[in-house]
Amino acid sequence: MGKGRAFDEIWGHGGPENPRPDFAALSEWIADTPQSELHRRQQSAEATFRQLGITFAVYGDSDASERIIPFDIVPRIFLHDEWQRLSAGLVQRVEAINAFLEDIYGERRILKEGVVPAELILKNPQFRPEVAGIRPPHGIWAHICGIDLVRTGPDEFWVLEDNARTPSGVSYMLENREAMIRLCPELFRSFRVAAVDSYSDMLRETMRSVAPTRASSSGVPVCVVLTPGHFNSAYYEHSFLADTMGIELVEAADLVVDDDVVYMQTIAGRVKVDVIYRRIDDDFLDPLVFRPDSLLGVPGIISAYRAGNVALINAPGNGIADDKAIYSYMPEIVKFYSGSEAKLPNVETWRCREPEALSYVLDHLGELVVKLVDGSGGYGMLVGPTASKAEIEAFRAALKAEPHRYIAQPTLALSTVPTVTETGLAPRHVDFRPFVLTGSDGVRVVPGGLTRVALKEGSLVVNSSQGGGTKDSFVLLPEGHGQIQTQVQA
């Protein structure tokens, strides 16, 4: 798991001339397709993304312009057996996350039994006492999870972080696939690839399945996507998902709460809303409960939620399961709720709030990755081996001042996938975000996900806000059954 030459998922350790046997067809395709043609197809995909408005904004960037995330034409491929093992681990982990959230906002058995220190939960800014005692419809908290995974060898997968608040990126998974089918149809003849275009249907069914029992009189729950508005960096995804699910995209001004019931204001009058997929952070969700200065939230929405009249996806308070200090206890959390060892291991983690761990981290800053416990998007992070002396010393001072705010991890030799660069094909490091949906009818793993790629040579930082790109992720089907991806969804 330490440093060393990275494992390439297509070429293994053998290089282009001697690829892993299962990927000989892809390696052949790469070799037979001229570089100029790969570049042309890639540029065609990016032109389409720009035309569609698939962009994101980088907060604090002086350019202030919206960008597309760079796309790479060479896909990443998961074998069927690999995917089966990954899926089993993801289901186990997400079930444990839901059980953990239900417990800490309810009975708190895990705290009473001393598995996780109580102060780490109860004094954590991500813990929301405002929702303690509330039980969401059907007892489900994390309906949509994006569990970030990294790979270091043929059978070595590690969970890097759990995204149980508002994980983004699924629109890139879907648009990347459409681009690949259009631009590289020959690959779908060489490989039996599981379809991902049913994601929107799966999400809509998940939403309907968690509607309160007192749902709309029509019998079909009314579901909406709540967005902070078009200035949000992920607004394209909000509108894309609402559109593909065939449900309304709403802002706070479109909703009103009356007698603990949420209504959508339409031209034809008020319509009762049963399920809200909210893409607004807890802080801004309800000015009567959280930040009183929020103009993005809906006054009274938590009261309606507490009364059991509306389902909020994902549930308020989930940020505690995203916290990187809590992440370090996930193996114990999984075992506590499932009774079994975690099928997907964590990356080794030092909690800087513990004096012994802090001492080790301060002594090895140049070798480690150090992260804020509540950070995201690659911000507030030190990658020791690539940091300057000045950056390391600045981080040393920050760590000494507020050690409880940081965790540290070893620098992993993340796996690579061949990637188109200006000087030809070269290995680039990748991570992976599969999407896991939990409804009242069970847990489902989408057969695909978002592969992020660090486009700079040697870089381990894959975040789009830090210059990363994306690839399509093929999940192979066993021979003889399953839904094959063969055409673009109309």
Side-chain angles (χ1 to χ4, degrees):
M1 195 171 79
K3 288 176 283 186
R5 187 180 167 192
F7 164 74
D8 192 273
E9 298 187 11
I10 308 303
W11 294 334
H13 290 297
E17 295 75 33
N18 188 22
R20 297 172 71 203
D22 291 301
F23 303 112
L26 181 64
S27 203
E28 236 171 80
W29 174 81
I30 291 169
D32 293 348
T33 310
Q35 285 293 303
S36 59
E37 178 60 14
L38 290 176
H39 275 292
R40 187 195 67 76
R41 295 186 193 187
Q42 197 151 296
Q43 284 163 357
S44 172
E46 292 186 350
T48 303
F49 293 165
R50 197 171 280 109
Q51 203 175 356
L52 288 169
I54 310 176
T55 58
F56 75 102
V58 179
Y59 296 126
D61 193 332
S62 54
D63 288 348
S65 60
E66 298 217 330
R67 309 175 186 170
I68 63 161
I69 297 182
F71 171 69
D72 188 73
I73 201 87
V74 180
R76 179 201 211 152
I77 301 181
F78 291 95
L79 300 174
H80 177 68
D81 290 348
E82 285 174 349
W83 189 253
Q84 293 295 95
R85 291 195 300 275
L86 275 182
S87 293
L90 290 166
V91 169
Q92 180 199 45
R93 193 163 181 111
V94 168
E95 286 178 342
I97 286 171
N98 269 298
F100 170 69
L101 289 163
E102 175 89 341
D103 187 21
I104 60 166
Y105 287 112
E107 292 180 33
R108 300 181 182 164
R109 285 191 306 120
I110 198 164
L111 305 188
K112 290 169 187 167
E113 296 190 26
V115 177
V116 177
E119 73 275 7
L120 197 60
I121 302 284
L122 304 178
K123 292 182 180 176
N124 194 312
Q126 295 301 324
F127 178 72
R128 299 293 187 179
E130 300 91 341
V131 298
I134 296 179
R135 189 168 193 269
H138 308 277
I140 297 164
W141 294 75
H143 312 80
I144 307 164
C145 284
I147 308 291
D148 287 349
L149 302 173
V150 292
R151 186 177 194 173
T152 55
D155 298 305
E156 294 166 354
F157 290 90
W158 310 84
V159 177
L160 196 59
E161 59 186 55
D162 300 291
N163 295 287
R165 276 179 279 189
T166 51
S168 61
V170 77
S171 58
Y172 290 98
M173 172 185 82
L174 298 171
E175 295 288 10
N176 286 354
R177 176 61 51 86
E178 291 221 359
M180 288 298 289
I181 294 166
R182 185 168 52 82
L183 296 167
C184 306
E186 65 275 19
L187 285 177
F188 296 88
R189 291 190 286 273
S190 300
F191 294 100
R192 292 173 51 81
V193 181
V196 294
D197 57 10
S198 59
Y199 176 82
S200 296
D201 294 336
M202 287 170 66
L203 179 55
R204 186 180 59 241
E205 291 315 306
T206 298
M207 290 176 71
R208 286 178 176 173
S209 80
V210 297
T213 46
R214 301 183 288 281
S216 294
S217 54
S218 67
V220 180
V222 173
C223 304
V224 299
V225 176
L226 174 61
T227 176
H230 65 276
F231 291 111
N232 184 268
S233 64
Y235 180 73
Y236 170 80
E237 180 158 297
H238 308 167
S239 56
F240 174 90
L241 288 172
D243 188 43
T244 53
M245 284 192 284
I247 66 177
E248 293 295 330
L249 179 69
V250 299
E251 295 185 29
D254 301 314
L255 301 179
V256 63
V257 179
D258 190 358
D259 198 19
D260 288 346
V261 175
V262 182
Y263 295 96
M264 174 170 50
Q265 306 190 90
T266 72
I267 298 167
R270 286 180 170 187
V271 175
K272 181 175 178 287
V273 174
D274 304 298
V275 185
I276 300 173
Y277 177 15
R278 50 98 182 198
R279 297 294 296 253
I280 293 176
D281 292 343
D282 288 358
D283 274 341
F284 301 97
L285 189 56
D286 185 339
L288 301 181
V289 176
F290 301 116
R291 280 183 57 159
D293 60 342
S294 171
L295 301 176
L296 301 174
V298 182
I301 199 171
I302 295 297
S303 180
Y305 175 59
R306 185 181 291 278
N309 292 329
V310 69
L312 297 177
I313 292 179
N314 280 333
N318 278 18
I320 190 71
D322 271 10
D323 183 87
K324 291 179 178 65
I326 300 302
Y327 159 91
S328 69
Y329 284 95
M330 276 305 293
E332 292 90 337
I333 289 169
V334 170
K335 188 166 187 181
F336 184 78
Y337 295 110
S338 72
S340 308
E341 297 295 333
K343 294 174 182 175
L344 285 173
N346 267 21
V347 176
E348 184 182 7
T349 302
W350 289 273
R351 297 184 277 262
C352 297
R353 65 198 291 276
E354 297 169 3
E356 209 173 295
L358 176 64
S359 173
Y360 177 86
V361 171
L362 290 171
D363 287 346
H364 297 83
L365 268 183
E367 304 160 27
L368 301 173
V369 176
V370 188
K371 303 175 183 177
L372 279 166
V373 293
D374 57 352
S376 63
Y379 295 103
M381 185 165 103
L382 175 81
V383 181
T386 60
S388 67
K389 281 185 179 176
E391 286 168 334
I392 288 174
E393 290 316 307
F395 240 84
R396 187 184 304 281
L399 266 171
K400 285 178 176 174
E402 298 181 296
H404 63 282
R405 294 192 66 205
Y406 295 91
I407 55 115
Q409 294 170 331
T411 312
L412 301 185
L414 301 191
S415 62
T416 58
V417 175
T419 299
V420 177
T421 74
E422 286 179 12
T423 55
L425 226 70
R428 290 291 184 266
H429 295 291
V430 291
D431 79 350
F432 185 56
R433 176 175 294 178
F435 295 93
V436 186
L437 300 179
T438 304
S440 63
D441 51 353
V443 184
R444 286 175 286 190
V445 182
V446 182
L450 178 67
T451 286
R452 299 184 299 178
V453 53
L455 295 173
K456 294 173 188 165
E457 187 175 0
S459 173
L460 297 170
V461 182
V462 297
N463 306 78
S464 53
S465 52
Q466 311 293 316
T470 67
K471 288 174 172 284
D472 193 7
S473 312
F474 288 8
V475 171
L476 300 190
L477 291 164
E479 288 300 320
H481 72 87
Q483 184 195 3
I484 305 178
Q485 187 80 64
T486 54
Q487 60 185 26
V488 180
Q489 193 177 22

